[in-house]
């Protein structure tokens, strides 16, 4: 008995594409909600398509086929990319905050004002 699985495969790949896009948008919104910074959100939102495009490029160079397993791996990859981006951004914020505190300590207290403009 022969069955046509092409419709099932097409719909599965379509749903994976939808989840890939929806996951990218939701991950960017989560970064915005927790980091409260548009700059961090833009960095995370740019990191996702850049990594997906470079992944497709490497798949093309290495002659990998695009099937449901590779598409599911791409969906998981979005989570890993966002996780790494959040860790890097948190470390950058921590470094900048600590560096700002060190600068103020090194400068000492501000000079007293005499009251004249």
């Amino acid at each position: 008995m022969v069955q046509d699985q092409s419709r099932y495969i097409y719909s599965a790949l379509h749903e994976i594409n939808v989840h890939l896009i929806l996951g990218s948008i939701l991950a960017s919104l989560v970064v915005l909600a927790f980091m409260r910074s548009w700059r961090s959100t833009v960095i995370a939102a740019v990191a996702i398509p850049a990594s997906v495009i470079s992944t497709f490029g490497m798949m093309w160079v290495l002659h990998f086929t695009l099937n449901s397993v590779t598409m599911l791996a791409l969906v998981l990859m979005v989570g890993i990319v966002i996780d790494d981006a959040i860790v890097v951004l948190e470390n950058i914020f921590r470094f900048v905050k600590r560096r700002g505190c060190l600068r103020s300590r090194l400068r000492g207290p501000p000079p007293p004002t005499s009251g004249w403009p």
Side-chain angles (χ1 to χ4, degrees):
M1 176 180 238
V2 177
Q3 293 181 348
D4 184 19
Q5 294 290 322
S6 64
R7 281 188 251 162
Y8 170 75
I9 293 170
Y10 178 76
S11 66
L13 287 177
H14 176 71
E15 286 299 316
I16 291 172
N17 284 335
V18 169
H19 285 114
L20 187 63
I21 293 168
L22 188 62
S24 300
I25 292 169
L26 288 175
S28 298
L29 290 175
V30 167
V31 169
L32 178 63
F34 286 105
M35 299 294 274
R36 295 185 189 113
S37 168
W38 284 101
R39 190 176 186 188
S40 301
T41 305
V42 169
I43 291 170
V46 168
I48 296 169
S51 62
V52 170
I53 290 169
S54 61
T55 302
F56 279 126
M58 287 305 293
M59 287 174 63
W60 179 72
V61 168
L62 297 173
H63 304 291
F64 285 170
T65 59
L66 191 61
N67 55 25
S68 60
V69 174
T70 54
M71 291 298 286
L72 287 171
L74 286 172
V75 171
L76 291 174
M77 184 244 355
V78 168
I80 293 170
V81 166
I82 283 296
D83 182 48
D84 292 343
I86 289 172
V87 168
V88 168
L89 287 170
E90 285 177 345
N91 283 327
I92 289 171
F93 278 126
R94 183 176 52 85
F95 176 76
V96 167
K97 188 175 180 180
R98 186 183 331 153
R99 185 174 173 197
C101 292
L102 286 176
R103 276 190 187 166
S104 64
R105 282 189 214 154
L106 291 175
R107 279 190 231 145
T113 57
S114 63
W116 292 93

